Amino acid sequence: MTIEDLNSRIAACQRVHLANLPTPIHKLPSLSAFIGRGPVYMKRDDLTGLALGGNKTRKLEWIMADLIAGGYDTILTWGGWQSNWCRQVAAAAAQLGIEAHLALITQGAHLGNCTANALLDTLLGAHIHVVPADKNGKFFHLEELKAVLEPIVSCLANEGKKVYLVGVGGSMVEGSMKKPLGALAYLHAFMEMHEQLKTMGLDIKHIVVTSGSSSTQAGLLAGAILLNPGIRVTGISVTLPSAPMAGYVKRLTQLLLDDLAYEGRFDDDLVIVDDRFLGKGYGVIDDDTLEVIRLTAKNEGILLDPVYTGKGMRGLIALLKEAPSSQGATLFWHTGGAPALFAYGDELTFADFS
Ligand SMILES: *Cc1c(COP(=O)(O)O)cnc(C)c1O
């Protein structure tokens, strides 16, 4: 498919302007030399700009347009206590004059500390609903949080508010979001990268991205299928084991391709998820990830985060080092998250200032 063709297929979908685009693509000379398996580039979606940015800003351009077109005045979503998604929802809502309600789930050591993303949520004027993590700690689907969300929705409805309910990460097609708009945003981002690579005369063989709720990877995979089947897309999971994550990525990719009236099928082998860097689970930092955050900061002046991109970059380094020789050019898709660094101050102290 050509980019013009694809542009006309997505033209019917509306979008509001929230992000500074295109985000730059940088070469990482020191990390490339350190890994020794060919050049490594980075797509800087940490620089999307909306109240410290990140990948959710792109998704919100489409989701907020959907909300406005539907005549809603309030948005309700949920996430972990240090959710980057929730912080970007709060900022987008503030910019567009929409009331934001966030159900924030308290987890582990960072339970309830009003710092980093949680601090910014309140500064941005969002209404916070504190949700104690239950025993199994599941909050991937609306269904799992129904008991918490329904009373909030009915309370807001009683006040005459029209509530747009959207799932964590802006990924799943559930609640008020009837189309895979998060994945669509990342198909659009792939198109942006495709044009940049053409201008730069650069041929990328492999994209590595951190996967949390799966629509970023799904959108990039759809882009590769439609525009450049020579590019492999690997998701480094920071939430789920490989099999369920791959299931979600596959489903969202298919939904998006169906929406675009794409008739071809795609092979299951294209859905690549690696869960070896999950460590002790979502939001739990480990020494190897810490080392990669430090390496990237000291050698490239670029900030990764402990929950997502630190583990993602650790995955990229391991995958390349496992390869016997140069893999051609690799691109790490930086998805943001550095504000969460401030919630991990105790674990992240690198020097004793003596
Ligand atoms: C949400 C998030 C991701 C994962 O994106 P998904 O589309 O949820 O898979 C990666 N990195 C950061 C910093 C995020 O906030």
Side-chain angles (χ1 to χ4, degrees):
M1 201 176 281
T2 65
I3 202 124
E4 292 74 21
D5 203 7
L6 196 46
N7 258 322
S8 69
R9 288 188 194 215
I10 67 173
C13 300
Q14 299 183 51
R15 186 177 153 216
V16 294
H17 173 78
L18 295 169
N20 292 326
L21 304 177
T23 56
I25 294 177
H26 290 153
K27 188 173 179 193
L28 305 180
S30 302
L31 270 186
S32 303
F34 168 78
I35 302 168
R37 297 288 190 281
V40 178
Y41 291 82
M42 186 182 268
K43 176 74 169 154
R44 300 293 305 274
D45 274 10
D46 54 325
L47 303 179
T48 53
L50 178 70
L52 305 182
N55 63 336
K56 306 312 183 307
T57 301
R58 285 188 191 267
K59 301 185 190 187
L60 284 161
E61 291 199 328
W62 306 83
I63 293 169
M64 285 304 199
D66 190 46
L67 177 152
I68 291 165
Y72 295 88
D73 53 26
T74 302
I75 186 166
L76 168 63
T77 190
W78 71 89
W81 190 256
Q82 281 299 331
S83 167
N84 299 301
W85 155 249
C86 287
R87 183 235 321 145
Q88 287 161 90
V89 167
Q95 186 167 322
L96 297 167
I98 304 291
E99 186 169 310
H101 287 259
L102 309 174
L104 296 184
I105 298 144
T106 58
Q107 310 155 288
H110 306 290
L111 186 149
N113 288 345
C114 190
T115 179
N117 282 314
L119 168 69
L120 298 179
D121 294 340
T122 58
L123 183 60
L124 291 160
H127 300 256
I128 310 294
H129 304 263
V130 181
V131 183
D134 72 356
K135 292 177 292 298
N136 63 17
K138 279 193 183 158
F139 54 89
F140 217 75
H141 285 290
L142 211 162
E143 200 59 37
E144 291 155 354
L145 276 185
K146 242 183 163 153
V148 170
L149 296 170
E150 270 175 359
I152 302 175
V153 172
S154 58
C155 186
L156 289 168
N158 283 340
E159 292 171 17
K161 308 265 164 61
K162 194 172 174 199
V163 183
Y164 189 96
L165 179 58
V166 56
V168 63
S171 288
M172 296 304 155
V173 178
E174 58 183 16
S176 312
M177 194 173 90
K178 307 297 182 203
K179 283 172 176 286
L181 298 176
L184 173 64
Y186 267 85
L187 167 61
H188 194 255
F190 188 100
M191 292 160 69
E192 174 184 301
M193 176 206 70
H194 186 75
E195 296 288 298
Q196 285 175 304
L197 295 182
K198 243 196 288 184
T199 309
M200 295 165 82
L202 184 61
D203 190 17
I204 293 283
K205 294 287 181 225
H206 191 188
I207 294 173
V208 178
V209 67
T210 316
S211 259
S213 64
S214 82
S215 63
T216 301
Q217 186 180 349
L220 295 178
L221 178 57
I225 290 167
L226 295 170
L227 289 172
N228 192 339
I231 299 187
R232 190 153 43 104
V233 179
T234 299
I236 306 295
S237 178
V238 299
T239 50
L240 297 173
S242 293
M245 179 65 88
Y248 289 125
V249 172
K250 187 180 161 202
R251 187 172 148 64
L252 283 178
T253 305
Q254 190 64 62
L255 276 175
L256 179 58
L257 293 176
D258 291 348
D259 258 8
L260 297 169
Y262 171 76
E263 264 131 41
R265 292 278 120 198
F266 66 94
D267 200 3
D268 282 2
D269 296 354
L270 296 182
V271 183
I272 308 167
V273 177
D274 196 327
D275 63 5
R276 289 177 295 161
F277 309 97
L278 194 49
K280 292 210 173 71
Y282 178 72
V284 185
I285 184 130
D286 54 76
D287 287 346
D288 292 330
T289 301
L290 244 161
E291 197 47 47
V292 167
I293 293 174
R294 188 209 313 253
L295 184 79
T296 308
K298 277 178 72 171
N299 294 290
E300 299 288 355
I302 291 173
L303 301 175
L304 301 175
D305 79 284
V307 183
Y308 291 96
T309 53
K311 291 182 180 177
M313 179 61 89
R314 200 185 140 213
L316 176 143
I317 293 171
L319 285 174
L320 288 183
K321 287 208 162 187
E322 282 163 15
S325 58
S326 171
Q327 297 294 293
T330 305
L331 182 137
F332 181 75
W333 205 297
H334 196 329
T335 42
L341 282 169
F342 300 103
Y344 286 79
D346 294 341
E347 290 100 318
L348 285 164
T349 304
F350 295 119
D352 59 6
F353 304 113
S354 54

